Structures are given as structure tokens and as C-alpha cells.
Amino acid sequence: MSNSELLGIVAGQLLAVAVQAVQFVGFWTSVSLPLLYVPLLADGLEAGAELFAGLVALHVVSLVLGHEYGRDEVTDDVT
């Protein structure tokens, strides 16, 4: 095995670990972020409208990043 092949294998494994980490953070952020909506909505949106909009945008991004977390390989066979 050459050095370039070994480097390719290591790079692939590091990429897989990085993708899993991003999916993990995205999933758990999307699960926990709605807890921050409650105090903002209880106080009213007049004071925190920009913050609320930012949280909603962050929530959308975290949903997109974390939607594959914890899923097994899915096949096309549905039985």
C-alpha cells in the first residue's frame, strides 16, 4: 500500500467522522432550540423579534444538517 492510498483512506475516515459530528450537533441543536422560543414568546416579540427570527433561521439550518443523524442505511425495498 502506497502512502497516497493510505492518505486517501485516512482522509476518508476523517471526513466520515466530521460528517457524523456535524449531523450530531445539528440534530441535537434542532431538538433543543425550541426550548428557547418559550421565553421569547412569553415576553412578546416586540423586544426580541430579531432574536426570534435568528433562532428560527438557526433552527432551519440545524434541521437540514441533522436530518440524517442516527438513520441506518435505507434501501428501496419496502416490505
XYZ file of all heavy atoms in Angstrom:
583
model
N 0.850 -1.166 0.000
C 0.000 0.000 0.000
C 0.897 1.230 0.000
O 1.785 1.381 0.825
C -0.910 -0.020 1.229
C -1.860 1.134 1.284
S -3.003 1.111 2.697
C -4.027 -0.259 2.293
N 0.610 2.130 -0.926
C 1.435 3.332 -1.034
C 0.967 4.402 -0.045
O -0.108 4.300 0.543
C 1.377 3.883 -2.461
O 0.089 4.392 -2.716
N 1.811 5.382 0.093
C 1.480 6.476 1.010
C 0.241 7.241 0.554
O -0.555 7.687 1.372
C 2.655 7.440 1.145
C 3.756 6.858 2.007
O 3.525 5.929 2.777
N 4.957 7.397 1.862
N 0.074 7.398 -0.754
C -1.085 8.143 -1.251
C -2.379 7.366 -1.001
O -3.422 7.965 -0.697
C -0.935 8.463 -2.736
O -0.867 7.265 -3.495
N -2.338 6.043 -1.112
C -3.522 5.232 -0.806
C -3.863 5.311 0.681
O -5.030 5.445 1.049
C -3.293 3.773 -1.202
C -3.238 3.546 -2.681
C -2.850 2.116 -3.025
O -2.206 1.447 -2.197
O -3.200 1.684 -4.125
N -2.844 5.225 1.502
C -3.049 5.330 2.945
C -3.599 6.700 3.323
O -4.516 6.808 4.143
C -1.736 5.059 3.679
C -1.801 5.018 5.202
C -2.743 3.913 5.657
C -0.420 4.803 5.777
N -3.071 7.735 2.701
C -3.554 9.091 2.957
C -5.013 9.238 2.531
O -5.812 9.878 3.221
C -2.685 10.103 2.228
C -3.000 11.576 2.471
C -2.834 11.922 3.945
C -2.099 12.455 1.618
N -5.379 8.617 1.418
C -6.769 8.655 0.961
C -7.703 7.956 1.924
O -8.816 8.431 2.185
N -7.282 6.828 2.477
C -8.103 6.089 3.443
C -8.286 6.911 4.714
O -9.399 7.033 5.237
C -7.467 4.722 3.752
C -7.542 3.820 2.519
C -8.141 4.066 4.948
C -6.745 2.540 2.638
N -7.205 7.485 5.215
C -7.273 8.296 6.441
C -8.152 9.523 6.208
O -8.973 9.879 7.056
C -5.860 8.690 6.913
C -5.923 9.720 8.022
C -5.096 7.456 7.361
N -8.008 10.162 5.058
C -8.820 11.347 4.749
C -10.302 10.980 4.675
O -11.159 11.722 5.163
C -8.362 11.974 3.444
N -10.612 9.831 4.105
C -11.999 9.378 4.039
C -12.588 9.112 5.412
O -13.746 9.451 5.683
N -11.782 8.512 6.278
C -12.256 8.245 7.637
C -12.443 9.547 8.425
O -13.417 9.686 9.173
C -11.284 7.322 8.366
C -11.295 5.902 7.837
C -10.228 5.031 8.468
O -9.299 5.511 9.093
N -10.373 3.723 8.294
N -11.538 10.488 8.256
C -11.684 11.778 8.932
C -12.907 12.530 8.430
O -13.625 13.158 9.218
C -10.435 12.631 8.736
C -9.203 12.211 9.519
C -8.004 13.072 9.129
C -9.460 12.308 11.013
N -13.174 12.442 7.143
C -14.359 13.090 6.587
C -15.633 12.458 7.149
O -16.579 13.168 7.505
C -14.355 13.000 5.062
C -15.546 13.622 4.348
C -15.611 15.119 4.639
C -15.474 13.355 2.867
N -15.649 11.131 7.267
C -16.815 10.444 7.824
C -17.048 10.849 9.277
O -18.194 11.075 9.689
C -16.629 8.931 7.716
N -15.994 10.976 10.050
C -16.124 11.398 11.446
C -16.622 12.841 11.519
O -17.482 13.172 12.341
C -14.780 11.233 12.189
C -14.799 11.924 13.533
C -14.452 9.754 12.346
N -16.110 13.699 10.650
C -16.542 15.104 10.642
C -18.013 15.228 10.262
O -18.759 16.002 10.869
C -15.676 15.917 9.684
N -18.453 14.447 9.284
C -19.864 14.475 8.873
C -20.748 13.997 10.015
O -21.790 14.599 10.299
C -20.070 13.628 7.598
C -21.548 13.372 7.337
C -19.433 14.308 6.403
N -20.339 12.931 10.692
C -21.122 12.438 11.834
C -21.203 13.482 12.942
O -22.253 13.654 13.562
C -20.514 11.150 12.384
C -20.817 9.940 11.546
C -20.215 8.680 12.162
O -19.174 8.729 12.813
N -20.867 7.563 11.950
N -20.115 14.187 13.186
C -20.110 15.215 14.233
C -21.048 16.363 13.874
O -21.805 16.847 14.725
C -18.693 15.740 14.455
N -21.030 16.797 12.622
C -21.919 17.878 12.188
C -23.375 17.434 12.276
O -24.242 18.193 12.717
C -21.550 18.338 10.766
C -22.621 19.248 10.176
C -20.197 19.041 10.770
N -23.664 16.190 11.883
C -25.029 15.676 11.968
C -25.482 15.578 13.421
O -26.630 15.905 13.741
C -25.131 14.318 11.298
C -25.049 14.389 9.792
C -25.039 13.021 9.141
O -24.827 12.002 9.802
N -25.272 12.995 7.844
N -24.607 15.142 14.304
C -24.928 15.040 15.730
C -25.286 16.406 16.297
O -26.313 16.581 16.954
C -23.730 14.433 16.478
C -23.864 14.454 17.975
C -24.585 13.470 18.622
C -23.271 15.453 18.739
C -24.712 13.478 20.008
C -23.395 15.472 20.112
C -24.121 14.479 20.745
N -24.432 17.391 16.043
C -24.667 18.738 16.570
C -25.933 19.331 15.951
O -26.752 19.938 16.655
C -23.443 19.646 16.316
C -23.759 21.097 16.616
C -22.260 19.167 17.138
N -26.127 19.135 14.663
C -27.324 19.653 14.013
C -28.598 19.047 14.561
O -29.583 19.754 14.809
N -28.586 17.731 14.773
C -29.774 17.048 15.296
C -30.124 17.550 16.692
O -31.262 17.947 16.963
C -29.546 15.539 15.319
C -30.678 14.778 15.939
C -31.816 14.495 15.210
C -30.610 14.353 17.251
C -32.872 13.791 15.782
C -31.650 13.659 17.834
C -32.784 13.373 17.089
N -29.164 17.530 17.587
C -29.461 17.899 18.972
C -29.709 19.392 19.120
O -30.458 19.810 20.018
C -28.382 17.389 19.918
C -28.518 15.915 20.086
C -27.686 14.954 19.596
C -29.594 15.232 20.732
N -28.179 13.711 19.910
C -29.347 13.845 20.604
C -30.746 15.645 21.397
C -30.200 12.887 21.129
C -31.599 14.677 21.916
C -31.325 13.325 21.784
N -29.146 20.207 18.255
C -29.482 21.627 18.262
C -30.930 21.823 17.829
O -31.672 22.596 18.431
C -28.535 22.411 17.333
O -27.199 22.251 17.792
C -28.888 23.888 17.301
N -31.346 21.091 16.799
C -32.728 21.235 16.332
C -33.726 20.695 17.352
O -34.860 21.156 17.406
C -32.915 20.537 14.984
O -32.775 19.143 15.112
N -33.311 19.740 18.175
C -34.196 19.223 19.219
C -34.313 20.219 20.367
O -35.406 20.463 20.893
C -33.680 17.856 19.734
C -34.385 17.440 21.006
C -33.840 16.790 18.658
N -33.208 20.813 20.774
C -33.213 21.656 21.970
C -33.530 23.128 21.704
O -33.964 23.837 22.610
C -31.869 21.550 22.683
O -30.834 21.985 21.826
N -33.341 23.591 20.493
C -33.544 25.009 20.196
C -34.964 25.507 20.458
O -35.123 26.642 20.927
C -33.139 25.290 18.750
C -32.794 26.712 18.379
C -31.705 27.254 19.287
C -32.344 26.777 16.944
N -36.008 24.747 20.211
C -37.357 25.251 20.503
C -37.583 25.610 21.970
O -38.498 26.383 22.271
C -38.268 24.103 20.068
C -37.508 23.424 18.994
C -36.070 23.501 19.435
N -36.775 25.102 22.867
C -36.910 25.486 24.269
C -36.635 26.981 24.476
O -37.134 27.580 25.428
C -35.971 24.660 25.146
C -36.242 23.163 25.178
C -35.149 22.446 25.955
C -37.603 22.876 25.766
N -35.851 27.567 23.596
C -35.562 28.995 23.698
C -36.703 29.856 23.162
O -36.749 31.057 23.426
C -34.270 29.328 22.942
C -33.003 28.666 23.481
C -31.822 29.017 22.596
C -32.751 29.094 24.910
N -37.611 29.263 22.409
C -38.742 30.023 21.882
C -39.702 30.429 22.996
O -40.308 31.497 22.931
C -39.535 29.204 20.863
C -38.811 28.841 19.593
C -39.309 27.844 18.773
C -37.648 29.479 19.202
C -38.679 27.500 17.599
C -36.999 29.133 18.028
C -37.522 28.145 17.228
O -36.898 27.803 16.068
N -39.854 29.575 23.991
C -40.856 29.799 25.032
C -40.648 31.124 25.761
O -41.591 31.929 25.853
C -40.908 28.599 26.002
C -41.856 28.870 27.151
C -41.294 27.327 25.260
N -39.464 31.418 26.293
C -39.306 32.706 26.991
C -39.485 33.905 26.062
O -40.019 34.932 26.466
C -37.890 32.668 27.551
C -37.336 31.346 27.275
C -38.270 30.602 26.405
N -39.046 33.765 24.813
C -39.207 34.878 23.878
C -40.681 35.143 23.581
O -41.120 36.289 23.519
C -38.460 34.597 22.575
C -36.956 34.765 22.619
C -36.333 34.321 21.309
C -36.595 36.202 22.908
N -41.434 34.068 23.389
C -42.854 34.235 23.112
C -43.617 34.692 24.343
O -44.602 35.426 24.233
C -43.437 32.932 22.563
C -42.921 32.521 21.183
C -43.447 31.140 20.816
C -43.303 33.538 20.135
N -43.190 34.283 25.524
C -43.860 34.699 26.755
C -43.681 36.191 27.004
O -44.592 36.855 27.510
C -43.324 33.901 27.941
N -42.514 36.741 26.649
C -42.255 38.171 26.839
C -42.835 39.018 25.715
O -42.888 40.227 25.821
C -40.748 38.439 26.927
C -40.160 37.966 28.239
O -40.935 37.775 29.193
O -38.928 37.789 28.298
N -43.221 38.380 24.645
C -43.716 39.127 23.489
C -42.599 39.332 22.490
O -41.425 39.377 22.841
N -42.971 39.465 21.236
C -41.965 39.575 20.182
C -41.509 41.007 19.916
O -40.638 41.225 19.090
C -42.504 38.965 18.889
C -42.636 37.446 18.892
C -43.196 36.964 17.560
C -41.295 36.787 19.151
N -42.087 41.986 20.600
C -41.692 43.366 20.338
C -40.211 43.587 20.624
O -39.497 44.198 19.844
C -42.521 44.352 21.183
C -43.990 44.381 20.856
C -44.753 43.285 21.572
O -44.326 42.846 22.665
O -45.777 42.840 21.028
N -39.759 43.097 21.750
C -38.370 43.324 22.147
C -37.405 42.365 21.462
O -36.258 42.708 21.206
C -38.233 43.193 23.665
N -37.850 41.151 21.147
C -36.926 40.146 20.637
C -37.277 39.602 19.273
O -37.004 38.440 18.987
N -37.853 40.422 18.405
C -38.261 39.941 17.083
C -37.057 39.509 16.243
O -37.099 38.483 15.576
C -39.067 41.009 16.350
N -35.980 40.281 16.292
C -34.784 39.930 15.522
C -34.143 38.663 16.069
O -33.683 37.813 15.308
C -33.799 41.075 15.528
C -34.287 42.295 14.776
C -33.323 43.459 14.903
O -32.312 43.326 15.623
O -33.596 44.496 14.284
N -34.105 38.545 17.383
C -33.556 37.339 18.001
C -34.393 36.121 17.644
O -33.858 35.062 17.324
C -33.478 37.505 19.516
C -32.958 36.321 20.325
C -31.541 35.956 19.890
C -33.002 36.631 21.806
N -35.708 36.277 17.678
C -36.601 35.173 17.327
C -36.389 34.751 15.871
O -36.313 33.555 15.571
C -38.056 35.568 17.557
C -39.033 34.460 17.299
C -39.172 33.424 18.210
C -39.796 34.432 16.145
C -40.061 32.383 17.981
C -40.684 33.410 15.904
C -40.826 32.376 16.824
N -36.278 35.708 14.968
C -36.036 35.401 13.556
C -34.691 34.686 13.382
O -34.576 33.734 12.595
C -36.078 36.667 12.722
N -33.689 35.113 14.115
C -32.387 34.445 14.061
C -32.445 33.024 14.576
O -31.815 32.119 14.016
N -33.208 32.808 15.647
C -33.357 31.455 16.185
C -34.092 30.544 15.209
O -33.741 29.375 15.061
C -34.091 31.490 17.524
C -33.304 31.979 18.725
C -34.206 32.084 19.946
C -32.128 31.060 19.011
N -35.104 31.083 14.546
C -35.837 30.285 13.555
C -34.908 29.926 12.391
O -34.898 28.782 11.918
C -37.097 31.024 13.070
C -37.714 30.315 11.876
C -38.114 31.141 14.203
N -34.104 30.873 11.934
C -33.150 30.600 10.858
C -32.122 29.548 11.287
O -31.807 28.621 10.531
C -32.453 31.885 10.434
N -31.612 29.673 12.505
C -30.673 28.683 13.030
C -31.332 27.314 13.148
O -30.706 26.287 12.870
C -30.138 29.131 14.389
C -29.140 28.202 15.081
C -27.887 28.037 14.229
C -28.791 28.740 16.451
N -32.594 27.293 13.521
C -33.333 26.043 13.640
C -33.468 25.364 12.279
O -33.287 24.143 12.162
C -34.699 26.304 14.253
C -35.382 25.083 14.748
N -36.679 25.087 15.164
C -34.973 23.803 14.897
C -37.035 23.875 15.537
N -36.005 23.082 15.376
N -33.756 26.126 11.251
C -33.870 25.566 9.904
C -32.537 24.974 9.460
O -32.480 23.853 8.931
C -34.368 26.633 8.909
C -34.243 26.155 7.471
C -35.806 27.018 9.218
N -31.454 25.696 9.700
C -30.121 25.191 9.327
C -29.797 23.913 10.093
O -29.305 22.938 9.523
C -29.041 26.271 9.575
C -27.637 25.700 9.440
C -29.241 27.428 8.619
N -30.103 23.883 11.387
C -29.802 22.688 12.185
C -30.669 21.505 11.758
O -30.219 20.359 11.796
C -29.962 22.976 13.675
O -31.308 23.229 14.002
N -31.899 21.759 11.336
C -32.744 20.680 10.820
C -32.157 20.080 9.550
O -32.149 18.854 9.373
C -34.161 21.186 10.546
C -35.043 21.418 11.752
C -36.304 22.174 11.353
C -35.411 20.103 12.419
N -31.675 20.925 8.679
C -31.084 20.444 7.428
C -29.811 19.645 7.701
O -29.598 18.572 7.138
C -30.795 21.624 6.479
C -29.957 21.190 5.287
C -32.095 22.258 6.009
N -28.959 20.156 8.595
C -27.692 19.480 8.880
C -27.879 18.179 9.649
O -27.118 17.236 9.470
C -26.761 20.403 9.659
C -26.223 21.610 8.904
C -25.391 22.479 9.825
C -25.422 21.179 7.692
N -28.888 18.119 10.509
C -29.032 16.957 11.380
C -30.071 15.950 10.965
O -30.283 14.970 11.673
N -30.688 16.124 9.803
C -31.799 15.229 9.461
C -31.377 13.796 9.177
O -32.198 12.901 9.238
C -32.612 15.799 8.298
C -32.013 15.572 6.957
N -30.978 16.327 6.476
C -32.303 14.665 6.003
C -30.663 15.897 5.273
N -31.435 14.895 4.964
N -30.134 13.543 8.877
C -29.673 12.171 8.610
C -29.055 11.506 9.835
O -28.651 10.347 9.774
C -28.632 12.180 7.486
C -29.194 12.491 6.120
C -30.083 11.378 5.589
O -29.811 10.196 5.875
O -31.050 11.708 4.894
N -28.969 12.209 10.960
C -28.302 11.658 12.143
C -29.073 10.465 12.691
O -30.288 10.507 12.850
C -28.181 12.722 13.236
C -27.615 12.174 14.527
C -26.287 11.824 14.619
C -28.418 11.984 15.638
C -25.760 11.321 15.787
C -27.911 11.480 16.814
C -26.579 11.145 16.885
O -26.064 10.634 18.044
N -28.369 9.383 12.937
C -28.959 8.202 13.557
C -29.742 7.314 12.621
O -30.317 6.326 13.060
N -29.779 7.634 11.358
C -30.502 6.786 10.414
C -29.585 5.685 9.907
O -28.422 5.911 9.604
C -30.986 7.601 9.213
C -32.082 8.549 9.549
C -32.656 9.108 8.289
N -33.750 9.999 8.609
C -34.492 10.582 7.698
N -34.242 10.373 6.421
N -35.479 11.379 8.059
N -30.158 4.510 9.795
C -29.422 3.403 9.188
C -29.527 3.529 7.677
O -30.306 4.317 7.141
C -30.005 2.069 9.640
C -29.795 1.832 11.117
O -28.825 2.371 11.673
O -30.617 1.112 11.716
N -28.762 2.721 6.979
C -28.862 2.674 5.545
C -30.295 2.315 5.163
O -30.849 1.331 5.637
C -27.904 1.635 4.950
C -26.453 2.040 5.031
C -26.061 2.976 3.913
O -26.669 2.895 2.837
O -25.155 3.785 4.141
N -30.898 3.097 4.311
C -32.254 2.851 3.891
C -32.215 2.280 2.481
O -31.562 2.814 1.599
C -33.092 4.149 3.904
C -34.496 3.912 3.404
C -33.080 4.756 5.293
N -32.918 1.191 2.300
C -32.982 0.585 0.982
C -34.297 0.960 0.303
O -35.223 1.449 0.935
C -32.867 -0.953 1.051
O -33.965 -1.432 1.815
C -31.561 -1.356 1.708
N -34.358 0.688 -0.976
C -35.575 0.996 -1.724
C -36.650 -0.043 -1.515
O -37.794 0.165 -1.897
C -35.255 1.116 -3.221
C -34.408 2.342 -3.526
O -34.510 3.306 -2.746
O -33.667 2.330 -4.519
N -36.301 -1.185 -0.927
C -37.277 -2.247 -0.675
C -38.144 -1.900 0.513
O -37.657 -1.737 1.619
C -36.577 -3.591 -0.416
C -35.769 -4.041 -1.621
O -36.091 -3.619 -2.734
O -34.808 -4.805 -1.422
N -39.428 -1.794 0.282
C -40.366 -1.541 1.374
C -41.272 -2.753 1.429
O -42.060 -3.013 0.536
C -41.190 -0.255 1.117
C -42.201 -0.050 2.229
C -40.280 0.923 0.970
N -41.103 -3.528 2.507
C -41.931 -4.729 2.626
C -42.658 -4.735 3.945
O -42.320 -4.122 4.881
C -41.078 -6.003 2.528
O -40.044 -5.952 3.496
C -40.507 -6.135 1.140
